[in-house]
Amino acid sequence: DQQVKQNSPSLSVQEGRISILNCDYTNSMFDYFLWYKKYPAEGPTFLISISSIKDKNEDGRFTVFLNKSAKHLSLHIVPSQPGDSAVYFCAAGRLGQNFVFGPGTRLSVLP
Amino acid sequence: GAGVSQSPSNKVTEKGKDVELRCDPISGHTALYWYRQSLGQGLEFLIYFQGNSAPDKSGLPSDRFSAERTGGSVSTLTIQRTQQEDSAVYLCASSRGLAGGPVVFGPGTRLTVL
């Protein structure tokens, strides 16, 4: 029973174009969401977060959108760069409780 | 230190032996998490400590797994009688817990059970 789903195991995008990574969750009690990037042989690196009181949060090339009614969030990377190639994990939870991670989406940005 | 540190970075052990993995969280972070990532899999939650509250052990896969956090800081994850399926990267993370902020991960310990 996956509480956090990332239905695309992989995604390929041309350099300079937009990358859109999707994430769905099932628990309506979740109120805090995070995206992480992971390179091989390294721990996950925090990218961006959003709380349930907002529907959008931007940080440079990264924007996270939250649709609470659909229990869906997405990460947009614009413009995509080859260095963005990594596995991206979505995580959801409640502050003060543990976070549940999705299975990840492997992004490949092609030069 | 500035980040979450874990030791050892790599551990190779024989099936049936016990192993201990250590995590030093960021100073002042009240929440500490253990996750593991098996080859080709996502991040699997193991256990979560928040302040002085009883830990959330709901992710521990069997009673061979245990963890403790001493003095609200350093944590040790112990795996007894290791099995080959325990082979994974074990990731520790910490956060400010109820105060919010991102969960910061350590580099992980790669455990290989032969």
Side-chain angles (χ1 to χ4, degrees):
Chain A
D1 178 28
Q2 273 191 322
Q3 293 193 70
V4 178
K5 302 175 186 178
Q6 294 176 257
N7 291 323
S8 298
S10 64
L11 175 68
S12 291
V13 171
Q14 209 68 38
E15 180 180 4
R17 308 295 284 268
I18 185 171
S19 296
I20 300 176
L21 299 123
N22 293 303
C23 177
D24 297 282
Y25 60 96
T26 58
N27 190 335
S28 58
M29 299 299 288
F30 289 157
D31 60 10
Y32 197 63
F33 308 88
L34 311 99
W35 282 95
Y36 285 80
K37 175 170 72 173
K38 187 179 184 302
Y39 294 118
E42 295 183 13
T45 304
F46 170 75
L47 275 177
I48 193 168
S49 64
I50 189 167
S51 74
S52 58
I53 62 172
K54 299 175 77 171
D55 54 19
K56 177 182 173 183
N57 189 24
E58 283 182 85
D59 185 1
R61 296 186 297 113
F62 301 91
T63 303
V64 57
F65 295 91
L66 175 63
N67 182 334
K68 284 173 289 187
S69 60
K71 298 193 191 69
H72 176 83
L73 65 156
S74 60
L75 175 68
H76 292 210
I77 307 173
V78 182
S80 302
Q81 300 172 354
D84 296 331
S85 297
V87 177
Y88 288 77
F89 291 98
C90 162
R94 304 196 68 186
L95 283 179
Q97 298 181 14
N98 85 79
F99 286 92
V100 181
F101 281 79
T105 296
R106 181 177 300 279
L107 174 66
S108 299
V109 180
L110 309 172
Chain B
V4 178
S5 58
Q6 292 185 246
S7 60
S9 54
N10 277 287
K11 176 72 177 179
V12 180
T13 191
E14 293 180 344
K15 177 181 173 181
K17 296 283 180 70
D18 298 351
V19 295
E20 283 190 353
L21 311 179
R22 178 188 167 105
C23 171
D24 284 88
I26 291 174
S27 177
H29 277 191
T30 59
L32 187 146
Y33 313 73
W34 282 98
Y35 289 84
R36 73 175 175 181
Q37 185 177 25
S38 303
L39 189 63
Q41 303 297 311
L43 292 169
E44 176 188 5
F45 166 73
L46 296 176
I47 189 169
Y48 165 66
F49 297 89
Q50 169 56 53
N52 295 321
S53 303
D56 177 354
K57 304 179 182 179
S58 60
L60 294 178
S62 78
D63 58 8
R64 297 186 295 105
F65 287 72
S66 63
E68 60 178 27
R69 188 178 185 192
T70 53
S73 181
V74 171
S75 177
T76 303
L77 176 69
T78 302
I79 309 172
Q80 296 177 308
R81 306 180 302 281
T82 52
Q83 303 293 312
Q84 287 183 330
E85 61 263 28
D86 299 335
S87 296
V89 176
Y90 288 80
L91 292 156
C92 175
S94 69
S95 76
R96 293 190 298 146
L98 294 170
V103 174
V104 181
F105 280 84
T109 294
R110 181 174 296 278
L111 174 66
T112 303
V113 182
L114 302 176

